[in-house]
Amino acid sequence: MVARAYQPENQPEIVQSETSEKLTPQEYLRCERAATTKSEFINGELIAMAGASKRHARIAASVVVHLANQITGSSCEVLFNDIRLKINEAGDYVYPDVLVVRDGGEWEDEQFDTLLNPTIIIEVLSSSTSRSDYNDKWLRYQQMPSLSDYLLIAQTQRRVEQFTRQKENLWLYAIHTTPEARVQFDSIHCSLTLGEIYERISFEENS
C-alpha cells in the first residue's frame, strides 16, 4: 500500500454548452423514473449509461456481498443497482456502483430512490467512465460532508485506490495492489481484502 495526504484543488468552473437545451433537475427525475434505461444528469444534460461487463458485475457483486455480511445488525446499509445519488445543490445526479449509508440515509423525496448523504462511494472503473470518476465526479463528491471514503476499483489489474477524509479538507490517498492488502473503512468498522474484491476475477481472461 502507498499512502499520502491528498489536497483537492479548487473546483474549476464548469462550462456549459450554449447549443443544447438544458433540462431542470425536476424534469430529469420525472423522465428518469419513467425510463427503461438509466442516464446520469450533469450540468443540465443527460448522459446515457452503458451496460456493465461481466467482470464489472462480478467485482461489484463481491464488494456488496462482503460488505453486507460485515454490517449485518448495524445501522449501516449497502445500496447498489438503481439507487441514484444527488451530488450537489445544483441538482446533478449519478449512479455509483456501490453506496454505503448509515442510519437509514437522507433521501430526495418519498420515493426513496435518490440518496443525499452517502458514507462511502465505490466505483468499478471502466474505459468509458474512469476519466469522470477520477475528475468531475470526484471534485463534486469532495463537497459532500457525509462522505468518509471514495474507492476506485480497476478491472484489468489488481489495483484499488482509496481516498479517506481527514481534517481540514485533506484526503488520505492509498493504493492497494496485493491480494492480501486490506482496505479499511474506519467510519463503518469494516474492511475488504483485495482477495475478496477480486475473488471471481482471473486477470488472464478478457471478459
Side-chain angles (χ1 to χ4, degrees):
M1 179 185 76
V2 178
R4 64 177 181 267
Y6 178 85
Q7 175 92 52
E9 300 290 339
N10 293 331
Q11 184 165 339
E13 180 182 358
I14 298 170
V15 180
Q16 296 186 348
S17 170
E18 298 179 356
T19 61
S20 59
E21 185 176 349
K22 306 295 183 180
L23 294 176
T24 67
Q26 294 76 21
E27 290 170 337
Y28 161 76
L29 280 177
R30 184 173 63 252
C31 294
E32 186 69 6
R33 284 167 171 163
T36 57
T37 58
K38 293 189 294 187
S39 297
E40 295 187 326
F41 184 69
I42 303 293
N43 299 330
E45 296 182 350
L46 291 176
I47 302 172
M49 297 187 66
S53 67
K54 180 173 67 174
R55 182 185 291 263
H56 184 288
R58 282 177 173 176
I59 294 171
S62 293
V63 169
V64 169
V65 167
H66 286 290
L67 280 180
N69 286 340
Q70 294 181 65
I71 64 175
T72 299
S74 76
S75 64
C76 299
E77 185 176 5
V78 181
L79 305 172
F80 59 102
N81 199 13
D82 293 329
I83 298 298
R84 273 184 305 278
L85 177 64
K86 182 178 180 181
I87 56 177
N88 55 28
E89 291 301 319
D92 292 332
Y93 296 86
V94 296
Y95 286 94
D97 290 309
V98 182
L99 295 161
V100 179
V101 65
R102 289 183 292 198
D103 302 318
E106 297 177 9
W107 300 86
E108 175 89 296
D109 54 34
E110 67 281 356
Q111 294 207 35
F112 299 103
D113 59 1
T114 306
L115 183 67
L116 303 177
N117 64 332
T119 301
I120 296 170
I121 298 173
I122 300 173
E123 297 280 14
V124 180
L125 297 172
S126 64
S127 58
S128 62
T129 65
S130 61
R131 182 174 180 179
S132 176
D133 290 336
Y134 273 111
N135 295 294
D136 297 341
K137 287 182 181 177
W138 173 223
L139 287 171
R140 290 165 169 81
Y141 290 160
Q142 291 171 38
Q143 311 307 315
M144 307 186 79
S146 65
L147 186 65
S148 68
D149 291 271
Y150 181 45
L151 208 66
L152 296 164
I153 303 174
Q155 289 191 59
T156 58
Q157 59 179 313
R158 189 179 289 106
R159 178 185 175 95
V160 175
E161 297 172 79
Q162 181 181 18
F163 294 88
T164 301
R165 186 184 294 274
Q166 309 293 298
K167 295 180 180 179
E168 299 179 355
N169 204 34
L170 287 170
W171 292 81
L172 183 67
Y173 174 63
I175 303 175
H176 310 273
T177 58
T178 62
E180 64 276 8
R182 185 171 295 274
V183 180
Q184 187 69 41
F185 300 110
D186 292 337
S187 60
I188 60 171
H189 309 293
C190 292
S191 64
L192 293 170
T193 66
L194 267 64
E196 291 170 333
I197 292 171
Y198 292 109
E199 66 180 352
R200 300 181 62 198
I201 299 299
S202 168
F203 291 103
E204 284 71 42
E205 68 177 13
N206 295 318
S207 59

